[in-house]
Amino acid sequence: MVGQGKRLQDKVAFITGAGMGQGREAAILFAEHGAKVIVADINAEAGQETVEEIRQRWGDVALFVQGDVGVEQDVQRMIATGVQRFGRLHILYNNAGVLWKDRDRSVTETTEENWDRVMAINLKGTFFTCKYGIPELIKSGGGSIINVGSVSALLGFELPQDAYTASKGALISLTKSLAIQFARYNIRANIIHPGIIDTPMQAKYIADPQVRDAFIRSIPLRRLGTPRDIAYLALYLASDESSYMTGAELVIDGGFTAQ
Ligand SMILES: NC(=O)c1ccc[n+]([C@@H]2O[C@H](COP(=O)([O-])OP(=O)(O)OC[C@H]3O[C@@H](n4cnc5c(N)ncnc54)[C@H](O)[C@@H]3O)[C@@H](O)[C@H]2O)c1
């Protein structure tokens, strides 16, 4: 029941990129709140670790499915396997993404191959999960789609990752289209725009203390975000507490874009 104890009781969630970082933290928090969790990741070791941690704490409520979100057959299989195991699907959390600062730079420098691969993971992955996930949400009587953008989709930066930025920008438009199309099925679609979050994705870029400090100084709340900061927002969007929210963009960045 809304606002009480376990906020996702009897819900089934499919979370991509749940082996590490924000996806992993959300998988753990969702399980703590009563959800069954389908942990999807390309990295088998990481995905299995997430499932193992959940099983140790809350029992047999998580399943690992391995695959590449940029490959249609993989996504179809991962969703089918998860639905077979847990019977239904209510939450699609399209979290998997890549930020390749070394290979994804300005349009004048990026190769077509790198551009296409970033788009395949960050944008086409969400297309595929929606293609196979939405029919399952409809069968369940509705659900919540959580897409993951970035503050990079809202601002330009002097050191660009143009494929990343374009993929995240496209997700904003896709989210609104999904919200309108599927509202009649009681399916909501919203997008989260994280700021700089301390996850494996950022680890190698913030390993240098000077770079880390410079990032921190650029954030009004004077700290990096944590996976838990984002997981709490995702928990709200996944739960019925947000049942009147759809088509929304939620910035969660310590005030970075408000400056
Ligand atoms: N960390 C940040 O500062 C930040 C900021 C804004 C937005 N984001 C977005 O948040 C989301 C999560 O980021 P994170 O920081 O937790 O990243 P992360 O790199 O720490 O974790 C990403 C997970 O996705 C998995 N993954 C990568 N490619 C995949 C593929 N092709 N198929 C399936 N799984 C795949 C990885 O194995 C990993 O477990 C991403 O969409 C990212 O773009 C992150």
Side-chain angles (χ1 to χ4, degrees):
M1 191 178 284
V2 171
Q4 288 191 358
K6 295 196 167 187
R7 296 159 66 185
L8 298 179
Q9 197 66 52
D10 302 324
K11 305 256 194 222
V12 181
F14 181 82
I15 308 178
T16 64
M20 287 183 236
Q22 297 169 57
R24 180 191 175 109
E25 192 69 17
I28 292 167
L29 187 64
F30 285 16
E32 184 183 340
H33 279 274
K36 309 277 193 308
V37 185
I38 305 155
V39 169
D41 209 289
I42 198 167
N43 181 330
E45 201 182 327
Q48 271 152 358
E49 265 177 35
T50 301
V51 166
E52 196 44 45
E53 181 166 346
I54 292 172
R55 284 197 178 138
Q56 278 176 15
R57 295 166 73 180
W58 298 288
D60 194 15
V61 297
L63 174 76
F64 174 59
V65 286
Q66 188 192 5
D68 180 342
V69 293
V71 175
E72 182 163 7
Q73 302 93 301
D74 281 14
V75 176
Q76 184 175 24
R77 171 183 47 75
M78 291 192 289
I79 289 184
T81 307
V83 170
Q84 198 175 23
R85 171 74 173 75
F86 294 122
R88 285 174 305 166
L89 190 62
H90 307 95
I91 298 150
L92 272 185
Y93 188 179
N94 295 311
N95 164 79
V98 287
L99 173 70
W100 290 331
K101 291 191 185 181
D102 52 341
R103 285 165 281 168
D104 173 17
R105 301 174 71 91
S106 165
V107 285
T108 57
E109 299 164 86
T110 300
T111 64
E112 183 179 6
E113 190 187 3
N114 286 338
W115 176 279
D116 286 346
R117 183 62 181 143
V118 170
M119 286 290 168
I121 298 169
N122 291 9
L123 179 58
K124 212 156 66 165
T126 294
F127 155 45
F128 291 147
T129 56
C130 288
K131 178 169 178 177
Y132 295 101
I134 287 173
E136 299 300 333
L137 300 187
I138 292 173
K139 282 188 222 159
S140 300
S144 174
I145 300 169
I146 305 164
N147 290 333
V148 180
S150 169
V151 293
S152 304
L154 309 176
L155 302 168
F157 290 91
E158 279 179 17
L159 288 174
Q161 285 79 51
D162 278 336
Y164 184 86
T165 295
S167 69
K168 296 298 189 180
L171 287 171
I172 300 172
S173 310
L174 180 62
T175 302
K176 290 178 197 243
S177 177
L178 296 171
I180 300 309
Q181 284 176 71
F182 297 104
R184 78 189 78 142
Y185 296 102
N186 194 31
I187 293 172
R188 301 178 294 106
N190 296 288
I191 184 162
I192 297 174
H193 294 309
I196 303 167
I197 313 302
D198 197 351
T199 66
M201 173 179 277
Q202 291 287 3
K204 62 174 175 280
Y205 308 120
I206 58 178
D208 177 344
Q210 282 187 329
V211 173
R212 192 182 176 95
D213 286 353
F215 274 139
I216 290 172
R217 279 197 305 278
S218 73
I219 300 164
L221 286 179
R222 294 287 183 266
R223 68 170 177 88
L224 303 179
T226 65
R228 200 36 64 140
D229 289 325
I230 306 300
Y232 275 127
L233 177 55
L235 174 64
Y236 169 70
L237 291 174
S239 79
D240 294 338
E241 294 162 21
S242 59
S243 63
Y244 199 54
M245 180 172 281
T246 196
E249 289 180 61
L250 295 131
V251 173
I252 175 162
D253 67 352
F256 182 74
T257 51
Q259 299 174 96

